[in-house]
Amino acid sequence: MSAQQTSVPVVAIDGPGGSGKGTVAMRLAQDLGWHFLDSGALYRLVAVAAMDRGIAADDEAALGRLAEGLDVNFGVSGDGMLVLLDGNYITGRLRSEPVSAFSSRAAALPAVRAALVRRQRAFRKPPGLVADGRDMGSVIFPDARLKVFLTASPDARAARRYKQLKEKGENVNLSRLLEEIRKRDERDSSRAISPLKPAPDAHIIDSTEMSIDDVLIIVHGLFQGLSADD
Ligand code: DC
């Protein structure tokens, strides 16, 4: 990484799925006019590509090679992200439950994580980057200016996912979603490499009883507090 890149400020927003970190990170990036990295989308892209090619979720060597050579492009549409894999729009498939489960398994494999490190750091460009994921503050950008760990109870997160998927017309079951969220939390938190846990210097925010707007106000306050200290 060049010296210029390391001087580019990063805000890291980590936490479990359904904590609201993706929306908070995207809106903060828009507010600041900074770049945005949804690192989970990269793990999900590995999953989509592997499922299309019939690669198993425990075939570490094949998944590592796949992650290394992934042909992806990100764009922004009105209110969200557009994702292209091998030149095809696949945005709609990224958040489905089979892709969530596969990506969580693939993300536990060291070869997959190693293959995605450089790709994630390449998003660090002036004037700044807001990055969301599990290990943005702990592993990928340990020198981030501000680290936030956003969490919420499993019930609140399952209810939010249920609403999102329902709105997209998917046929979902709340208790099954809750069970999948618990399983994914367990796998993401107990894996040996880059487990889901707050960096020691992260600000922990529990959003169970909060709206996205409430969380954004807190994060903006933390960010402005930092700028005032400079
Ligand atoms: O944030 P998400 O739900 O889109 O992430 C999908 C999966 O990818 C999740 O199960 C954990 C994994 N992931 C990860 O291990 N590290 C990241 N920085 C981001 C996501």
Side-chain angles (χ1 to χ4, degrees):
M1 212 184 314
S2 70
Q4 197 238 351
Q5 261 180 315
T6 46
S7 66
V8 173
V10 175
V11 174
I13 305 199
D14 290 304
S19 59
K21 67 184 171 11
T23 314
V24 168
M26 192 185 292
R27 284 187 46 193
L28 182 68
Q30 278 168 352
D31 292 348
L32 299 175
W34 285 12
H35 298 278
F36 169 59
L37 165 64
D38 170 1
S39 61
L42 293 175
Y43 290 93
R44 288 174 180 274
L45 278 158
V46 172
V48 172
M51 289 159 91
D52 285 354
R53 288 164 176 76
I55 298 174
D58 58 357
D59 187 343
E60 179 165 4
L63 290 172
R65 276 195 303 275
L66 187 66
E68 193 73 58
L70 219 53
D71 172 14
V72 298
N73 276 296
F74 293 97
V76 181
S77 74
D79 57 345
M81 204 171 55
L82 289 176
V83 185
L84 285 101
L85 176 64
D86 301 320
N88 300 311
Y89 286 106
I90 52 112
T91 319
R93 291 174 64 196
L94 269 194
R95 313 247 150 234
S96 71
E97 279 312 305
V99 169
S100 298
F102 194 116
S103 64
S104 164
R105 292 181 63 190
L109 304 173
V112 173
R113 302 201 75 82
L116 295 180
V117 169
R118 204 162 15 103
R119 216 180 258 273
Q120 294 173 87
R121 290 191 178 144
F123 280 78
R124 185 174 197 168
K125 288 193 192 129
L129 174 70
V130 182
D132 99 63
R134 305 290 189 288
D135 60 347
M136 298 297 97
S138 55
V139 176
I140 306 295
F141 304 111
D143 60 338
R145 276 263 194 99
L146 173 65
K147 299 179 187 178
V148 172
F149 192 87
L150 195 54
T151 155
S153 71
D155 289 281
R157 291 188 283 126
R160 289 174 192 170
R161 283 291 289 155
Y162 179 80
K163 191 162 162 267
Q164 271 175 357
L165 293 172
K166 254 306 204 251
E167 278 166 8
K168 278 200 269 169
E170 283 197 33
N171 186 13
V172 279
N173 172 299
L174 184 58
S175 53
R176 209 169 49 223
L177 266 184
L178 180 59
E179 203 190 304
E180 276 160 9
I181 278 188
R182 285 190 201 280
K183 253 198 255 162
R184 202 141 71 89
D185 280 359
E186 169 62 27
R187 196 162 38 223
D188 293 347
S189 310
S190 64
R191 69 182 176 220
I193 179 167
S194 299
L196 169 66
K197 71 163 199 261
D201 48 349
H203 299 265
I204 299 175
I205 302 175
D206 185 336
S207 74
T208 304
E209 306 285 340
M210 286 186 203
S211 68
I212 292 291
D213 288 331
D214 295 336
V215 178
L216 255 176
I217 290 169
I218 296 177
V219 175
H220 268 294
L222 289 169
F223 184 77
Q224 274 154 18
L226 282 182
S227 308
D229 288 345
D230 279 348

